[in-house]
Amino acid sequence: MYNRVTDGIISELSQIVGIENTLVRTEAMEPYTHDHVIGLRADPEVVVKASSAEQVAAIFQLAQREKIPVTPRGAGYGLSGGAVPVVGGIVLSLEKMTRILEIDRENLMATVEPGVITGDLHRAVEAVGLFYPPDPASLDSCSIGGNIAEGAGGPRAVKYGVTSNYVCGLEAVLPSGEIITCGGKLVKNVTGYNLVQLLTGSEGTLAVVTKIILRLIPLPKHRIDLFVPYDDFESAALTVSAVIAQGIIPTAMEFM
Ligand SMILES: Cc1cc2nc3c(=O)[nH]c(=O)nc-3n(C[C@H](O)[C@H](O)[C@H](O)COP(=O)(O)OP(=O)(O)OC[C@H]3O[C@@H](n4cnc5c(N)ncnc54)[C@H](O)[C@@H]3O)c2cc1C
């Protein structure tokens, strides 16, 4: 079904991303053989680290021409095996695309590259009084691109929603090598096919996301933590529905 990666293809790839961003040695490629799914691993034939949408496009054009599979990869913290190159070929890492391109305080939007670590974005927007709520427990290790691909979310989801509720615009590269943009700095964007949401949660199967516009909200001014002991599980569980029935949506509730 697929062809093997030849020396000639590796040479072309290194012309696109640079020799220093083209890994072929077994030891250098080892971190790219797995994500965080226990027991699942597969060897890539080559790992390339892209720095721009144009590089991603050129890699896809080459891969299409040569019938080589491409597996996109963010930080490799996934729990569904999506970044594991189960059919070999090229692992396309976005780890170098780590720029926060803009924090637009007037429009409450951030524009970022996919390799930005989620916790870094949290800190950057909070420093200017804004808030990006999605909070997967892996936030200090995983990337925004991986969050988009996995629709990631954490304990704040009940009050604030998950990643898909904050993605307003995407730049992405299709397997053909075509660079597309969809959505934008818009909250109301209601006609036409919703390609932003189609790509969000698609686990890298439709396109590689190379730029992301995210909605921000004002940083809450006050936060109160409550630690409440209970005698039994049932009364603790009933409190959750009782609190919500009162019209109070907590940021997070955790059972310890
Ligand atoms: C300890 C731990 C705790 C976790 N907690 C949570 C949690 O609370 N909530 C939660 O939702 N998840 C959680 N996860 C899972 C994981 O962190 C998330 O799925 C996260 O979004 C993965 O991001 P990543 O950058 O590591 O992606 P990767 O693992 O590198 O890739 C994940 C998928 O995204 C694709 N992909 C990556 N970048 C791109 C891109 N730019 N364009 C297109 N496709 C791309 C890959 O092909 C793959 O299919 C946890 C994982 C661990 C190990």
Side-chain angles (χ1 to χ4, degrees):
M1 196 167 158
Y2 296 113
N3 292 326
R4 301 287 298 171
V5 175
T6 61
D7 288 347
I9 292 170
I10 290 169
S11 165
E12 278 193 64
L13 287 169
S14 63
Q15 280 165 28
I16 297 167
V17 296
I19 193 127
E20 67 285 7
N21 295 313
T22 310
L23 311 182
V24 286
R25 283 181 28 249
T26 308
E27 316 83 73
M29 293 197 296
E30 198 286 327
Y32 302 88
T33 61
H34 56 86
D35 60 6
H36 277 256
V37 176
I38 294 166
L40 178 67
R41 68 175 301 288
D43 292 321
E45 292 163 72
V46 58
V47 176
V48 287
K49 301 180 190 180
S51 302
S52 67
E54 290 70 26
Q55 288 186 358
V56 173
I59 292 162
F60 267 131
Q61 281 160 9
L62 173 58
Q64 278 279 354
R65 192 191 76 208
E66 300 291 341
K67 283 196 173 5
I68 306 290
V70 177
T71 305
R73 184 181 179 95
Y77 264 71
L79 291 172
S80 56
V84 181
V86 288
V87 284
I90 300 168
V91 165
L92 170 53
S93 170
L94 288 309
E95 71 194 273
K96 292 192 67 172
M97 296 182 67
T98 56
R99 289 182 300 161
I100 296 175
L101 299 167
E102 184 189 36
I103 297 173
D104 179 348
R105 295 171 69 186
E106 291 176 1
N107 290 297
L108 299 180
M109 298 271 173
T111 305
V112 304
E113 291 187 328
V116 170
I117 298 297
T118 309
D120 290 343
L121 177 65
H122 281 197
R123 286 180 281 277
V125 302
E126 285 171 24
V128 295
L130 297 175
F131 190 37
Y132 176 67
D135 60 338
S138 52
L139 64 88
D140 277 320
S141 306
C142 65
S143 71
I144 292 287
N147 292 175
I148 305 283
E150 297 282 355
R156 293 176 189 158
V158 174
K159 186 176 176 80
Y160 292 109
V162 295
T163 303
S164 57
N165 302 113
Y166 291 85
V167 190
C168 293
L170 294 173
E171 175 191 80
V173 184
L174 302 179
S176 62
E178 188 184 349
I179 300 173
I180 62 162
T181 57
C182 42
K185 279 190 189 175
L186 308 162
V187 174
K188 182 170 184 286
N189 186 14
V190 289
T191 53
Y193 298 111
N194 194 338
L195 297 181
V196 170
Q197 292 300 327
L198 178 66
L199 293 179
T200 304
S202 67
E203 296 197 58
T205 56
L206 298 178
V208 167
V209 171
T210 47
K211 198 185 289 176
I212 302 141
I213 299 174
L214 295 165
R215 187 168 67 84
L216 305 172
I217 60 174
L219 185 65
K221 295 225 173 348
H222 302 286
R223 195 184 90 174
I224 297 170
D225 294 328
L226 297 177
F227 181 76
V228 185
Y230 287 90
D231 291 329
D232 57 82
F233 294 157
E234 196 181 350
S235 49
L238 286 173
T239 304
V240 176
S241 33
V243 167
I244 291 171
Q246 287 288 314
I248 300 166
I249 309 291
T251 299
M253 288 178 115
E254 188 177 10
F255 174 73
M256 298 167 81

